[in-house]
Amino acid sequence: MEYFLHILVITGIYIILTLSLNLVVGYTGLAVLGHAAFSCMGAYVSSLLALNYGISPWIGLFVGACVAALLGVVIGFPSLRLKGDYLALATFGAGVIVYSVAKNWVAVTRGPMGLPGIPGFSIFGVQLSGVWEYLILVAAFVFITYFVIRRIVKSPFGRILRGIREDEVAALAMGKNINKYKIIVFVVGAFFAGIAGSLYAHYITFIDPSSFTVMESITILLMVVFGGMGSLAGSFVGAAVLVIFPELLRFLGMPSSVAAPLRQMIYGLLLIVLMLKRPQGILGTYRWK
Amino acid sequence: MIEQVLANGLIVGTIYALTALGFTIIYRTVRFFHFAHGVVYACGAYFAYSVLRIAYSGGGPPLHEATADLRYATTWVVAIFAGVIGAGVLGVVIDRLVYKPLRKRKAPNLVFLLASFGVFIFIQNLLQLIFGAQILTIRAGPVKEGHHFLGAVITDVQILILVVSSLLSVALWVFMQKAKLGKAMRAVADDRLAASVVGINPERIILAAFAIGSALAGAAGILISLETNIEPTMGMNAILKGIIASIIGGIGSIPGAMFGGLFLGIAENLGIWKISAGWKDCIAFVILIAFLLLRPGGIMGIKTEKEQL
Amino acid sequence: MLLDVRDLTARYGAVVALKNVSFHVGEGEIVAMIGPNGAGKSTALKAVSGVLQTTDGTIENGKILFEGKSIKGLTTNELVGRGISLAPEGRRVFTTMTVLENLQMGAYKRKDKASVSQDMDMVLTLFPPLKGRTKQKACTLSTGEQQMLAIGRALMQRPKILLADEPSLGLSPNFVELIFDKFTEINKNGTTILLVEQNASEALRISHRAYVFSIGEIVLSDSGRNLRRNPDVQKTFLGA
């Protein structure tokens, strides 16, 4: 039972990641491949503040998210000029660079050894200890994320985002400052990814660079694509299926040397089949002309 | 010391160049990033390894000893054949099964890119499933003493890599310039409609591009395996370096790909020399992003698609 | 009749661009298709030349017969084998190749080397501006020269019929007249021509017959001379 709840917590964290990436990729049509860089930022900032300076995880979470948002600006600005494949490549590169820093700047991040003993959250001096409590915490953040992003996409702002996705030249012709919108979605997406990273760090109490690899970024992207680009409900589905499904594999009793690559093979196959048969994902409506 | 750094950079650079060449030939004809090219490269090495493994599993000398002995030349030829041709076939299969249907549907580039990722992830993990995550090798026996040349030490194997890579690159360039198929490939890369106007069947040319480009990737994979280990993740590194080299040189340019590969190899090794080896990938990507922002046309100043708009 | 098109209907998605149009081209003729923008004339040529299916267009209905055999649905490169050459809209020369290489590419499908070089000389004589520029890259040519190159490249296939899509587009006025004079010359040498043109007066000047398109249909069809004299045509297209 506890294991099941643990899976739900992880699912919740991935839902936040998927929703935030969906805003950038699904609604605005920007090919962003390094999303794990933002959760990495949030996780490490939050953890280091707690471990080195005793700062409360609540503040750490917020600071971490802000730093991640800042990273979003740093990555977002140069990306304004890049299109399609080049944007994907550059954001991929950003993901690799952040991962490299986490892995090699051993003085600060302890590199591959990671950061153990990260303090958990506490409310009014009472430490959150059970999985149940973290589940409620994560669920709360899931809803906050959902409602914020939902407000954005349902508003006139959101309509412009979709305009950018459909035809950037036309959107430009309408006199909108496209760049402003792109930066904003980058920042918002990064902010919430940072939150997800912090939640993960304080829940698991240990992080290392291997949680924020490029494969992670691609997995989150797969969740967005599978659930449906431009569908918020789809993000819930995508995250849930792609987190829970590998766990089911575990019950089949395969050795991990088989289960691990098999799981990835299924992801790969899923991506291929999706693109060939149903690129709009399970619940998405986005189709190119 | 710097001579050694440059020598190492040059050697790995020629392999980057070869990978970039194959990637570029394909990119020119289909105009999207065929990310799965990396896993075709890995398969070249694995196919060759498989042939050697099968040949020596029947009670012959252990693999690493056998590969050192040129008496087993025929087995080696078969292994290389398997690797190069196998890679070429694999590339074509990927195109026909995945990309061609998407082309028919006029899918946007993002869909091609994602599909390519899917193929990459699938095959890379299939390799891991079959061969395990452990490190394999086709290295030729104990490392012989290298030759001293202009202040650096180069082994026989490294010379072989240098010579073969360079020959293949030059051969490809000549092919593109003089051979009828090569000219047709340049035509399709230039303007697909114009190519069909003169009677060229673009689909056939795309197939040729995948066949040749993938065969080159297979060759590169085998060459690098003479120096380093074979592991399932080798393709990821290769394709990233291949793409970066292509962009540095100017995407779509064949001499650019060659130059970009050498440049990247040397820059990386200079970087490792001054900073630690763990930062190697970081350095490569910083160079990439610098080029993307400051000189997207690469060294050769190729007009990228967005500039042509 | 070399080319016979009957009841052709074509659309781009939901938009019908051609409604049951019929036209034909006889051997040795110059036939023009004129009309305002969006009238469907370019769509008609693209349907015949196999270009329509590479865009978002589809041929819904109709017959397209060349020398009595159906060519509907054939791709542009397959049509080359039937003797149909295209000088496409926007010229589409190989910008990374030289003038000479462009012309050589025109002969891609031909096996007879000797007559290929003969034809090369013929094309260079036909278009003197190209003669001095054989080693230059096509991207350095002016638009008018590129149009010559596109037509020359098509002629290298020794086609039975030459299709030209908006040849005057983007050309300076003196080049326009020159190109159309060349069409007359090419036709005198035995090549049938079907062209689509914005520039009605030039098109009518040289063509034996012409079709006037409007909103997806053919509204007038007559000899070039008669159409030039037609008061409606004069008012709409010839600025009278």
Side-chain angles (χ1 to χ4, degrees):
Chain A
M1 180 56 172
E2 176 138 329
Y3 179 70
F4 176 65
L5 293 178
H6 164 75
I7 296 299
L8 284 184
V9 174
I10 299 292
T11 304
I13 292 175
Y14 272 103
I15 292 176
I16 298 175
L17 286 167
T18 309
L19 284 172
S20 54
L21 185 61
N22 202 348
L23 179 67
V24 182
V25 177
Y27 280 92
T28 321
L30 300 172
V32 170
L33 245 48
H35 207 57
F38 303 122
S39 51
C40 182
M41 207 48 144
Y44 270 91
V45 167
S46 189
S47 308
L48 289 170
L49 285 177
L51 286 172
N52 297 347
Y53 303 103
I55 293 183
S56 152
W58 294 102
I59 300 179
L61 179 121
F62 181 71
V63 174
C66 289
V67 175
L70 208 68
L71 183 65
V73 176
V74 167
I75 294 179
F77 253 112
S79 304
L80 296 174
R81 292 197 259 156
L82 300 173
K83 299 270 190 312
D85 289 354
Y86 295 95
L87 177 62
L89 194 59
T91 52
F92 188 99
V96 171
I97 293 174
V98 171
Y99 169 79
S100 283
V101 169
K103 196 167 167 202
N104 288 292
W105 199 13
V106 184
V108 172
T109 65
R110 282 171 45 98
M113 295 183 288
L115 301 172
I118 304 171
F121 284 90
S122 52
I123 303 184
F124 303 126
V126 179
Q127 268 276 355
L128 259 54
S129 49
V131 189
W132 260 118
E133 289 151 27
Y134 275 99
L135 183 59
I136 297 174
L137 178 70
V138 169
F141 274 104
V142 166
F143 281 116
I144 294 174
T145 311
Y146 174 70
F147 281 123
V148 170
I149 294 185
R150 188 167 182 275
R151 286 263 15 236
I152 294 177
V153 303
K154 293 272 185 209
S155 73
F157 189 95
R159 239 174 287 133
I160 296 178
L161 295 183
R162 274 188 293 281
I164 297 176
R165 180 183 69 190
E166 300 307 327
D167 188 340
E168 200 164 314
V169 179
L172 258 171
M174 292 212 298
K176 300 289 171 190
N177 183 357
I178 301 285
N179 291 340
K180 184 178 80 175
Y181 289 85
K182 285 189 189 178
I183 292 281
I184 293 179
V185 290
F186 253 101
V187 166
V188 172
F191 184 84
F192 283 104
I195 289 182
S198 295
L199 286 173
Y200 178 81
H202 293 288
Y203 171 63
I204 304 280
T205 73
F206 171 76
I207 53 168
D208 69 337
S210 72
S211 309
F212 307 105
T213 60
V214 202
M215 268 317 296
E216 260 305 298
S217 291
I218 295 181
T219 306
I220 304 170
L221 184 61
L222 183 59
M223 291 176 184
V224 172
V225 172
F226 178 73
M229 290 199 272
S231 161
L232 293 181
S235 296
F236 280 82
V237 171
V241 169
L242 290 177
V243 167
I244 294 174
F245 166 75
E247 300 299 324
L248 292 177
L249 266 190
R250 205 175 292 190
F251 282 112
L252 289 174
M254 276 180 270
S256 75
S257 63
V258 169
L262 193 64
R263 165 184 158 202
Q264 302 278 48
M265 275 172 69
I266 294 177
Y267 281 173
L269 206 56
L270 185 62
L271 201 46
I272 299 172
V273 170
L274 270 175
M275 290 302 106
L276 281 175
K277 296 289 178 198
R278 202 182 162 82
Q280 70 268 38
I282 301 285
L283 295 178
T285 49
Y286 172 56
R287 290 290 265 145
W288 67 86
K289 148 69 202 88
Chain B
M1 198 47 205
I2 186 158
E3 297 89 356
Q4 189 63 52
V5 172
L6 287 175
N8 291 345
L10 207 64
I11 291 159
V12 73
T14 48
I15 297 187
Y16 286 164
L18 205 58
T19 315
L21 268 176
F23 176 79
T24 295
I25 290 177
I26 294 172
Y27 179 80
R28 282 156 54 102
T29 46
V30 294
R31 297 256 173 245
F32 73 90
F33 284 173
H34 167 52
F35 200 81
H37 192 66
V39 94
V40 171
Y41 161 103
C43 281
Y46 274 100
F47 289 157
Y49 171 86
S50 302
V51 167
L52 290 171
R53 162 113 275 155
I54 293 172
Y56 297 121
S57 62
L63 188 60
H64 68 269
E65 271 181 43
T67 58
D69 199 323
L70 275 177
R71 277 182 302 164
Y72 304 96
T74 22
T75 327
W76 261 102
V77 167
V78 174
I80 292 172
F81 217 69
V84 172
I85 304 292
V89 169
L90 179 62
V92 169
V93 165
I94 293 173
D95 178 61
R96 296 289 111 164
L97 282 183
V98 180
Y99 299 147
K100 185 169 178 184
L102 291 178
R103 267 201 298 278
K104 277 217 155 67
R105 245 167 279 165
K106 309 208 180 83
N109 259 24
L110 182 61
V111 173
F112 278 99
L113 196 62
L114 289 175
S116 197
F117 269 130
V119 172
F120 184 97
I121 295 170
F122 179 75
I123 297 182
Q124 178 167 290
N125 285 282
L126 183 62
L127 288 173
Q128 189 168 325
L129 198 65
I130 297 176
F131 293 95
Q134 80 259 30
I135 289 163
L136 306 170
T137 177
I138 56 172
R139 257 186 297 214
V143 181
K144 268 173 33 192
E145 170 80 23
H147 309 275
H148 289 262
F149 185 73
L150 289 180
V153 177
I154 305 184
T155 65
D156 283 339
V157 173
Q158 288 174 327
I159 295 177
L160 180 71
I161 292 176
L162 258 176
V163 168
V164 172
S165 295
S166 310
L167 277 178
L168 283 175
S169 303
V170 171
L172 183 76
W173 187 79
V174 169
F175 171 79
M176 294 299 283
Q177 292 298 119
K178 306 282 177 189
K180 189 166 182 189
L181 181 58
K183 287 189 193 176
M185 286 169 71
R186 281 195 293 143
V188 171
D190 190 321
D191 189 327
R192 208 183 280 189
L193 175 64
S196 56
V197 156
V198 301
I200 297 173
N201 182 344
E203 275 298 322
R204 226 180 269 175
I205 299 303
I206 292 175
L207 192 146
F210 270 99
I212 297 175
S214 305
L216 284 175
I222 296 175
L223 284 172
I224 196 90
S225 305
L226 296 174
E227 269 283 285
T228 59
N229 299 321
I230 302 176
E231 43 188 336
T233 55
M234 63 192 284
M236 175 69 98
N237 187 59
I239 186 59
L240 292 176
K241 300 301 161 64
I243 294 179
I244 296 175
S246 301
I247 290 180
I248 291 175
I251 194 82
S253 154
I254 291 187
M258 294 199 260
F259 177 83
L262 295 174
F263 180 95
L264 184 64
I266 294 175
E268 244 185 24
N269 276 276
L270 280 173
I272 300 176
W273 185 40
K274 288 296 176 191
I275 323 168
S276 85
W279 293 98
K280 189 168 70 161
D281 290 345
C282 196
I283 294 170
F285 274 101
V286 169
I287 296 176
L288 169 73
I289 290 180
F291 268 92
L292 280 178
L293 297 179
L294 301 173
R295 198 175 164 83
I299 304 275
M300 305 286 286
I302 309 294
K303 291 223 178 329
T304 53
E305 305 263 322
K306 63 182 176 76
E307 286 170 326
Q308 270 166 356
L309 255 158
Chain C
M1 246 190 313
L2 204 51
L3 178 69
D4 186 14
V5 179
R6 296 199 213 138
D7 301 317
L8 182 64
T9 303
R11 50 165 45 175
Y12 291 100
V15 178
V16 177
L18 284 176
K19 276 181 287 234
N20 278 313
V21 301
S22 301
F23 55 95
H24 62 94
V25 182
E27 198 162 342
E29 287 190 303
I30 299 181
V31 174
M33 303 201 281
I34 63 174
N37 257 332
K41 56 191 195 301
S42 217
T43 309
L45 194 70
K46 290 188 164 82
V48 170
S49 62
V51 175
L52 189 68
Q53 62 212 67
T54 66
T55 61
D56 297 319
T58 41
I59 299 175
E60 211 169 66
N61 235 339
K63 281 198 184 17
I64 305 178
L65 299 172
F66 186 73
E67 291 183 320
K69 292 186 282 241
S70 172
I71 57 167
K72 186 166 86 167
L74 288 186
T75 60
T76 315
N77 55 289
E78 286 169 332
L79 290 173
V80 171
R82 300 290 187 104
I84 301 170
S85 289
L86 174 66
E89 186 178 356
R91 295 160 296 281
R92 311 298 285 266
V93 295
F94 296 117
T95 49
T96 60
M97 296 186 182
T98 65
V99 167
L100 197 66
E101 285 173 322
N102 265 275
L103 293 176
Q104 285 168 342
M105 288 309 292
Y108 182 80
K109 288 234 106 154
R110 288 175 61 180
K111 319 273 182 177
D112 44 337
K113 284 211 170 70
S115 41
V116 167
S117 59
Q118 241 180 349
D119 288 345
M120 189 90 69
D121 291 328
M122 182 271 289
V123 169
L124 290 173
T125 316
L126 181 65
F127 295 116
L130 294 181
K131 202 164 197 159
R133 292 186 160 76
T134 50
K135 292 278 189 336
Q136 283 183 347
K137 287 231 178 349
C139 51
T140 63
L141 267 54
S142 72
T143 333
E145 288 161 347
Q146 284 187 3
Q147 185 61 273
M148 291 181 172
L149 184 57
I151 297 171
R153 182 181 63 185
L155 289 175
M156 289 300 295
Q157 290 151 39
R158 275 214 194 154
K160 294 178 183 151
I161 184 170
L162 169 66
L163 308 174
D165 199 340
E166 305 266 15
S168 78
L169 214 54
L171 262 55
S172 53
N174 33 328
F175 257 115
V176 172
E177 202 182 319
L178 185 59
I179 293 280
F180 280 90
D181 287 338
K182 293 298 174 186
F183 277 133
T184 316
E185 204 178 322
I186 295 168
N187 178 250
K188 283 215 175 65
N189 291 343
T191 311
T192 312
I193 300 178
L194 171 63
L195 53 94
V196 162
E197 243 316 312
Q198 277 267 52
N199 188 326
S201 73
E202 281 299 307
L204 293 177
R205 173 170 75 85
I206 64 159
S207 42
H208 299 109
R209 285 188 304 114
Y211 295 91
V212 181
F213 280 71
S214 178
I215 319 178
E217 292 174 320
I218 293 177
V219 295
L220 270 179
S221 137
D222 209 334
S223 73
R225 184 175 304 153
N226 286 352
L227 284 174
R228 258 179 295 154
R229 302 228 180 92
N230 183 307
D232 292 319
V233 172
Q234 285 182 342
K235 197 162 52 155
T236 321
F237 299 112
L238 304 179

